Amino acid sequence: MKWTPENKAEAARLWASGMNGAEIAAVVGAEPKELYGLARRNPTTFRPRGHGKNRVRKTAAAPQVEGPAPRPFKARFPDKAPGYDGVPHGRLTSCGCEFPLWGHHEDFNVATSLFCGAPRSRLGGPYCGFHAVAARGNGTPVERRALRDAIAVDAREAA
């Protein structure tokens, strides 16, 4: 198709209003691939519209729907290993879990910050079996089963 200044202006106006490429192409009498080629060659006239939340929509804002309140975020792992309340940095032994018990938004304070202190697991490196999962992710089914067993053994030894 030969793009005339009138067709280009109409396509640019519809593009800015938020119509999709197939609809614009039908209005101006072109194929969608021709319209997208024109848009690629003229980025100042056909501004990128973005994706997701940034996309310009041709319709009005979606109506607000009443519904249940969103559930609060539930942490996947508790902060502390079962049976261990944490130890300060000065009392942490070389065989104790070094998992920090303060949030990522807090700064380390020697006087008040605690570490887990539970006995280290052979699978967890510097962490106990309980915190090894939090530090490394889920792992394979065999690894998850081994960590569950290690956590159960740690819990029995702590009791």
Side-chain angles (χ1 to χ4, degrees), residues 81-84 118-119 151-159:
Y84 295 93
I151 291 169
V153 168
D154 287 348
R156 276 185 262 150
E157 289 174 357

Side-chain angles (χ1 to χ4, degrees), residues 129-151:
F130 185 79
H131 287 119
V133 174
R136 294 204 174 100
N138 288 336
T140 64
V142 173
E143 291 171 336
R144 290 193 298 266
R145 194 168 29 256
L147 286 173
R148 274 196 306 268
D149 294 343
I151 291 169

